[in-house]
Amino acid sequence: MSVQAQPIVHQLPTPAVTPIESGRLMAAKKAYTTRFAAEAIEQDPHGFELMQEVAPQPGDVVLARVNGIGQHTRLESPASRRQTMFVGDEILVAYGNRYAPDQFHSVVPSNLDDCHLVAGGGLASLVLEQHAGIKPATTISPVGLLAREGRPVNLRDVAPHQIHPTHEQPGRPPVIAVLGTSMNSGKSTTLGCLVKGLTTAGLTVSAGKATGTGAGNDPRLFVDGGATHVLDFTDFGYPTTFKLDYETIRSLLTSMIDALTLTTTDAVVIEIADGVYQGETARLLRDPVFQEAVDHVLFSAADSLGAAGGLQVLNKAGVNVAAVSGLLTASPLAAQEAAAVLTAPVIDTFDLCKPATALGLLPARHTAAPVAAVGEWNPTTATAVVPPVPSPAVQERA
């Protein structure tokens, strides 16, 4: 099925549009989600406008004033610096929906009334529910949608990548997806360690985050692990993926794999955010397109029961789970409990930094024995046997 980027339709009446002084726009604190809009402003801050009396859409860029500091006290900059916010600051963020069981459930409001900053990466939204253990959200007052030539600026207008229809991907490198039981189950750390192990073995690795809420900490972690090419969904113009139509979610995954596949890429590793019960993720797992695009899954769990339950869900969906890792491996007892009942091996998160362990998670058709202790990789000789994945026991931390 062909997937086209849906036009961004704004409910008008006749919106009020006023010019914004370039100095004021330059002085506003910019968010990670709006980094490509910030680049456009840096290149030419003139000619921008503010639009009022319009219903915002996901991805619209908004200039807002901080009214009250709550859960989020800092705004992540385009360069991932944590900027301290003060009441009265003007910030440039993007509208989006958020699904975060540990924080906020929120939606894009229907107007430019006061709302909330629900993510440090820069997400304006209206909170419906929140976790009992966190503070109320930071409150903001939208001043107006950022516009140019009478049209709101949406992240998709300035994104460097666009999604395209899903299609077969012959000749692509091996793809490993990292999924988990929930938020904060250790997915990003697991992926970062896997990247480190593969790159130490001599592979050229690309890494991405296909779903979730826009923030720079995970992509920066992937870079620190040694990934040479890193993308997330914000590179495609989406501040979050919650409530996107399913065809867009599926095409975003395959488009990201395509964009991460360079001529030098030996392996692609992709994080899928939240847990296997989250709506978009649950549907994606059962999709033949996902199962064709992804060779192996590395599953991250917070505890042994979650690991067992998650594997049941994944096995029922026909997903090939290569190993279990994540937060549960911080506890030797929890890891032993999981290893006693799981069919997949349990691997300590930091053991994934070891070349032999990381190479053992590649599909058999892509494995090759390291040439030297460091593990020089030559994809043209992918016929030798890799040392097996460690037995399902707790491994000593690297």
Side-chain angles (χ1 to χ4, degrees):
M1 178 182 294
S2 177
V3 176
Q4 302 293 331
Q6 296 298 313
I8 303 163
V9 179
H10 294 83
Q11 305 297 326
L12 299 175
T14 303
V17 179
T18 57
I20 178 172
E21 184 185 38
S22 59
R24 180 184 181 185
L25 189 55
M26 291 289 287
K29 291 176 177 174
K30 316 299 192 300
Y32 173 82
T33 56
T34 64
R35 65 192 184 282
F36 300 117
E39 286 181 8
I41 292 169
E42 287 286 341
Q43 292 171 5
D44 181 8
H46 304 284
F48 285 95
E49 305 156 329
L50 291 179
M51 183 176 287
Q52 292 90 19
E53 300 175 6
V54 59
Q57 301 298 309
D60 282 350
V61 178
V62 60
L63 181 72
R65 185 177 297 109
V66 177
N67 278 346
I69 304 296
Q71 175 66 21
H72 291 99
T73 63
R74 297 183 178 186
L75 183 70
E76 185 178 6
S77 76
S80 289
R81 186 180 77 82
R82 301 288 178 172
Q83 308 166 98
T84 299
M85 291 185 294
F86 297 89
V87 171
D89 279 353
E90 288 191 333
I91 59 177
L92 203 67
V93 294
Y95 278 103
N97 305 296
R98 187 166 195 204
Y99 178 100
D102 287 1
Q103 287 200 17
F104 300 109
H105 173 206
S106 64
V107 296
V108 175
S110 60
N111 53 44
L112 297 184
D113 288 350
D114 289 359
C115 59
H116 306 98
L117 181 71
V118 298
L123 198 67
S125 199
L126 186 64
V127 172
L128 303 179
E129 303 168 304
Q130 71 170 70
H131 191 282
I134 65 171
K135 297 178 181 178
T138 290
T139 56
I140 59 176
S141 290
V143 179
L145 296 185
L146 189 68
R148 205 162 202 174
E149 298 179 350
R151 182 175 180 269
V153 174
N154 191 279
L155 297 184
R156 280 155 51 193
D157 300 329
V158 292
H161 294 275
Q162 301 293 323
I163 63 170
H164 52 68
T166 57
H167 61 276
E168 293 184 3
Q169 299 173 303
R172 60 166 173 74
V175 177
I176 298 175
V178 177
L179 290 89
T181 52
S182 63
M183 283 184 68
N184 299 322
S185 60
K187 296 184 297 296
S188 298
T189 303
T190 296
L191 190 149
C193 288
L194 177 61
V195 169
K196 180 62 177 176
L198 293 174
T199 57
T200 302
L203 277 67
T204 299
V205 180
S206 294
K209 185 169 182 176
T211 63
T213 300
N217 52 307
D218 290 345
R220 306 296 178 192
L221 171 62
F222 305 161
V223 170
D224 291 344
T228 56
H229 192 37
V230 174
L231 296 171
D232 70 7
F233 45 87
T234 65
D235 291 289
F236 292 79
Y238 299 95
T240 71
T241 55
F242 179 45
K243 287 186 172 293
L244 288 182
D245 66 275
Y246 180 67
E247 291 297 333
T248 298
I249 292 285
R250 180 167 64 178
S251 294
L252 183 54
L253 173 69
T254 56
S255 298
M256 184 172 291
I257 293 172
D258 277 352
L260 288 171
T261 301
L262 309 179
T263 55
T264 57
T265 303
D266 295 316
V268 173
V269 186
I270 298 278
E271 179 181 345
I272 308 294
D274 301 311
V276 294
Y277 285 148
Q278 198 269 352
E280 290 90 346
T281 302
R283 186 171 178 184
L284 195 60
L285 296 178
R286 290 168 171 77
D287 194 316
V289 171
F290 174 87
Q291 297 181 13
E292 175 65 25
V294 173
D295 294 294
H296 279 172
V297 162
L298 184 55
F299 188 62
S300 178
D303 56 40
S304 55
L305 183 59
L311 252 63
Q312 287 182 356
V313 172
L314 293 168
N315 289 337
K316 186 176 180 180
V319 173
N320 180 14
V321 180
V324 172
S325 191
L327 189 61
L328 78 86
T329 67
S331 166
L333 288 177
Q336 291 168 17
E337 288 176 355
V341 298
L342 300 180
T343 54
V346 177
I347 302 177
D348 185 277
T349 302
F350 294 96
D351 269 356
L352 294 168
C353 297
K354 298 176 180 178
T357 304
L359 287 174
L361 295 174
L362 292 177
R365 63 189 176 91
H366 295 288
T367 55
V371 175
V374 174
E376 298 177 4
W377 172 259
N378 181 355
T380 64
T381 59
T383 56
V385 177
V386 177
V389 176
S391 60
V394 182
Q395 305 296 315
E396 182 181 358
R397 286 185 182 274

